[in-house]
Amino acid sequence: MVHTSQMDGAPGSGFGLLAANAGHAFEAVADPESALVREWNDLIEWALGNPIELPAPASSEEAPEDGDDQEHLQAQKSDVVEGTIEAQPDPKEERGRETGARAAEVTDEEPFQAPVAVTVPQEEEHNVLPDDNSFVGGIRGDGVRFGVGRVFGTLGAATADYWPGNTELNQMNIGVVGDLGTGKTQLLKALVYQLREGSKSNQETPLSMLVFDYKRDFQSTDFLEAVGGRVLNPYRIPINIFSLRNGYSPLAAYQRAQQFADVLDKIYGNIGPVQTDRLVTSIVNLYKEKHGEPPTLPEVLAEYSNGQKPDAVTSILKPFILGEIFSDDPKEMMSFEEMMEDKVVIVALNDFGTDDNGKNALVVMFLNLYYDYMLNATKWPFVGNSPQLRRLNSFLLVDEAVNIMKYNFPVLMNLMLQGREFGFGVILASQYLDHFKKDGRNYGQPLLTWFLHKVPSVTLKELQALGLPNITADIASKISSQKVHHALYSSLNFSGKFIEEVPFFKLLSDKADGTTNGS
């Protein structure tokens, strides 16, 4: 609540008061259209029209009255602002010097000398600053750490940061929630960009990323160039989904076959136990016939269909084979590590059109490959004690994550729970909080960092379930009325703070201008 009170009268007799909640006042500074700012401007304009006359000096010796001296004083004050006055040592002034300021005696004989800031020589600054350019255990400085926005309700330009390089943040996983048009995609692009830039600056090894793009939001030229991205269209993908990372064994072959059958069953349904058994047996037999070499999808369909009538499995596999989603040419094949190395790989799911089952099946196949990729990644040792830092290997981003969370595939939860051991993180974005809780499985639990944009409705119970302390009904109601690029942010050192985010287009603009954002 804002109150103003004014007493009009002769110059020097008026008084004005502006009283407001401190947090509201700090937030209003960023919004020139707020009522508080308008009241503030009115009060200042009123005050400028009603100056208070200060009492005259007790004696003429305390301040020079000669016009030349007044002009001299004004010129010196102006020079101080422009930084052109040089301090002149004087015995009288030294006796009156105090820490951080100089008390000058102003008389007719001695003109006023303004306080002057002392500049530390450049050589001395270099002597006291630590060497931030050296790597310790493959990490420099604070590791991967960057600003994500400006905090509301604080004095000055306080910045909220995300610090996945700090092991105190137990899980690096991020949840992003927001209705359409709230700035969600710009935030996700900014996170990808800053994760990549942070790893380039403060790690000896790069950070890769896998992005599942349902709506073609991450395929623009400026984004791909900024992050080192590569669009992977679902046509002749040079990956064999039946490859066994650690070599062939009957058990490994059976597990991969069972995994593939489980994907088809959960995505498409209508696959009975007899069909599942025949599909698994066909895949395992192909491994044996090929002496441990992985079969291709066309070979799997041929083996499964041998002497049998078409059924649900054949109808599921045919679009992948006839559409040539995966390459079957050994010369084109590469390992998953080769595909991911120092890249942001964007899987263009939008190319499937309205075939949602095809999109989701491809996502789960890639999740299984990504999980194997994680398990075989280097476990870098932690560095330091306070803070203890970690090196990051890779991040997975699933936009419109509700499409895959609804199936309850164990691999997604395994990635989130085990990723911290390998320097892996997961970013899940969706429109509503209840998307993260499906059939008794809470995908929100391992998400320790949240960006909550404007949503049509959010309950206090839902917010408290995220582990946010001191959440009130007022905070819950404010979430539903936030502006674009505004969010409630929660992460290490920032528990439930409203922020104005730094969108991707602003990061690009600042980079072009040579400025920086964040910590």
Side-chain angles (χ1 to χ4, degrees):
M1 183 69 69
V2 179
H3 303 281
T4 60
S5 175
Q6 301 177 359
M7 296 176 59
D8 295 325
S13 64
F15 293 89
L17 170 67
L18 184 145
N21 176 279
H24 292 165
F26 293 146
E27 291 183 19
V29 173
D31 185 2
E33 298 180 359
S34 74
L36 190 150
V37 171
R38 289 196 299 270
E39 293 279 0
W40 205 331
N41 289 333
D42 291 344
L43 184 60
I44 292 174
E45 289 177 3
W46 170 83
L48 292 175
N50 293 270
I52 297 176
E53 295 182 1
L54 298 176
S59 107
S60 60
E61 292 183 355
E62 294 183 16
E65 295 186 6
D66 182 78
D68 293 338
D69 287 343
Q70 290 289 353
E71 292 177 3
H72 181 62
L73 174 61
Q74 186 61 37
Q76 287 189 338
K77 290 181 178 178
S78 177
D79 287 343
V80 170
V81 174
E82 297 178 5
T84 58
I85 289 292
E86 295 183 2
Q88 300 295 329
D90 188 286
K92 293 182 181 179
E93 296 167 358
E94 290 295 334
R95 287 194 298 270
R97 185 182 302 275
E98 296 181 0
T99 303
R102 184 183 64 175
E105 191 176 298
V106 182
T107 67
D108 287 347
E109 292 77 18
E110 184 181 7
F112 175 83
Q113 294 289 331
V116 179
V118 178
T119 302
V120 179
Q122 191 70 25
E123 294 77 16
E124 294 183 25
E125 290 185 353
H126 285 309
N127 288 337
V128 299
L129 288 175
D131 181 8
D132 289 331
N133 293 320
S134 59
F135 285 92
V136 178
I139 299 174
R140 178 162 53 193
D142 286 339
V144 178
R145 180 184 189 183
F146 53 86
V148 294
R150 182 177 61 83
V151 181
F152 290 121
T154 58
L155 184 61
T159 300
D161 63 34
Y162 172 56
W163 196 359
N166 190 340
T167 61
E168 192 176 342
L169 183 63
N170 293 336
Q171 304 281 7
M172 301 179 292
N173 309 317
I174 302 174
V176 179
V177 181
D179 203 356
L180 298 174
T182 58
K184 197 164 73 258
T185 299
Q186 281 292 318
L187 169 67
L188 293 172
K189 287 183 173 182
L191 290 174
V192 174
Y193 174 77
Q194 291 184 283
L195 282 166
R196 287 280 286 173
E197 291 297 302
S199 67
K200 289 178 184 177
S201 300
N202 295 321
Q203 293 189 172
E204 288 185 327
T205 50
L207 178 145
S208 66
M209 295 197 72
L210 179 63
V211 179
F212 293 119
D213 187 5
Y214 279 85
K215 301 181 302 182
R216 208 176 177 224
D217 287 332
F218 301 89
Q219 300 173 44
S220 61
T221 301
D222 61 346
F223 176 71
L224 295 173
E225 291 179 350
V227 304
R230 170 199 176 186
V231 177
L232 190 66
N233 300 103
Y235 175 70
R236 299 193 67 82
I237 297 173
I239 296 290
N240 190 329
I241 58 173
F242 296 110
S243 293
L244 300 176
R245 185 171 303 277
N246 296 317
Y248 169 79
S249 72
L251 178 60
Y254 171 76
Q255 290 174 336
R256 179 54 56 88
Q258 188 65 50
Q259 188 182 72
F260 180 72
D262 185 53
V263 170
L264 302 188
D265 182 43
K266 286 187 176 179
I267 297 292
Y268 294 91
N270 300 321
I271 300 178
V274 174
Q275 295 166 319
T276 298
D277 180 70
R278 193 163 91 238
L279 176 60
V280 170
T281 301
S282 298
I283 296 172
V284 170
N285 288 340
L286 283 171
Y287 276 110
K288 293 179 179 178
E289 291 174 12
K290 294 169 67 70
H291 306 288
E293 290 296 315
T296 64
L297 267 181
E299 291 172 339
V300 170
L301 178 60
E303 179 72 14
Y304 177 86
S305 303
N306 188 18
Q308 302 291 332
K309 294 180 179 180
D311 58 15
V313 173
T314 57
S315 66
I316 291 170
L317 294 181
K318 274 189 175 180
F320 282 89
I321 296 167
L322 297 179
E324 298 186 55
I325 304 301
F326 293 97
S327 173
D328 58 358
D329 186 351
K331 297 179 182 178
E332 296 178 355
M333 297 299 179
M334 65 173 63
S335 67
F336 199 80
E337 285 85 356
E338 290 175 312
M339 185 185 73
M340 293 293 298
E341 185 178 4
D342 194 14
K343 293 183 185 69
V344 175
V345 177
I346 316 293
V347 183
L349 300 170
N350 55 286
D351 283 1
F352 275 91
T354 59
D355 183 7
D356 290 337
N357 288 337
K359 297 176 188 178
N360 296 329
L362 185 63
V363 167
V364 183
M365 293 176 194
F366 265 83
L367 285 179
N368 289 326
L369 294 171
Y370 189 77
Y371 182 67
D372 285 347
Y373 170 60
M374 181 190 78
L375 294 180
N376 285 272
T378 302
K379 285 188 178 183
W380 303 107
F382 297 150
V383 176
N385 294 308
S386 183
Q388 187 182 67
L389 303 177
R390 64 161 71 90
R391 199 184 320 190
L392 310 186
N393 277 323
S394 187
F395 263 74
L396 167 72
L397 166 58
V398 187
D399 195 13
E400 304 299 327
V402 64
N403 289 294
I404 201 64
M405 289 189 290
K406 64 184 179 182
Y407 293 109
N408 277 336
F409 281 103
V411 63
L412 181 58
M413 185 64 80
N414 289 341
L415 282 166
M416 289 194 287
L417 293 177
Q418 301 173 28
R420 61 181 177 178
E421 301 177 37
F422 302 90
F424 276 60
V426 175
I427 305 173
L428 300 180
S430 200
Q431 292 185 37
Y432 304 105
L433 277 174
D434 59 8
H435 287 171
F436 293 84
K437 200 169 184 179
K438 292 292 179 184
D439 300 328
R441 178 166 293 185
N442 186 0
Y443 287 99
Q445 192 170 5
L447 302 175
L448 298 187
T449 298
W450 285 95
F451 293 86
L452 306 182
H453 296 82
K454 177 183 176 181
V455 290
S457 62
V458 59
T459 66
L460 185 60
K461 184 178 180 180
E462 286 176 325
L463 293 174
Q464 291 173 339
L466 301 180
L468 300 177
N470 305 319
I471 293 298
T472 65
D474 288 341
I475 291 176
S477 64
K478 187 172 181 179
I479 290 175
S480 62
S481 60
Q482 293 182 106
K483 297 181 180 180
V484 178
H485 305 307
H486 289 194
L488 181 70
Y489 176 62
S490 183
S491 189
L492 177 65
N493 300 327
F494 295 92
S495 181
K497 299 292 185 181
F498 284 101
I499 68 169
E500 180 180 15
E501 298 165 345
V502 182
F504 173 68
F505 67 80
K506 181 69 165 56
L507 291 174
L508 283 191
S509 174
D510 288 347
K511 183 179 181 180
D513 294 340
T515 56
T516 58
N517 281 284
S519 302

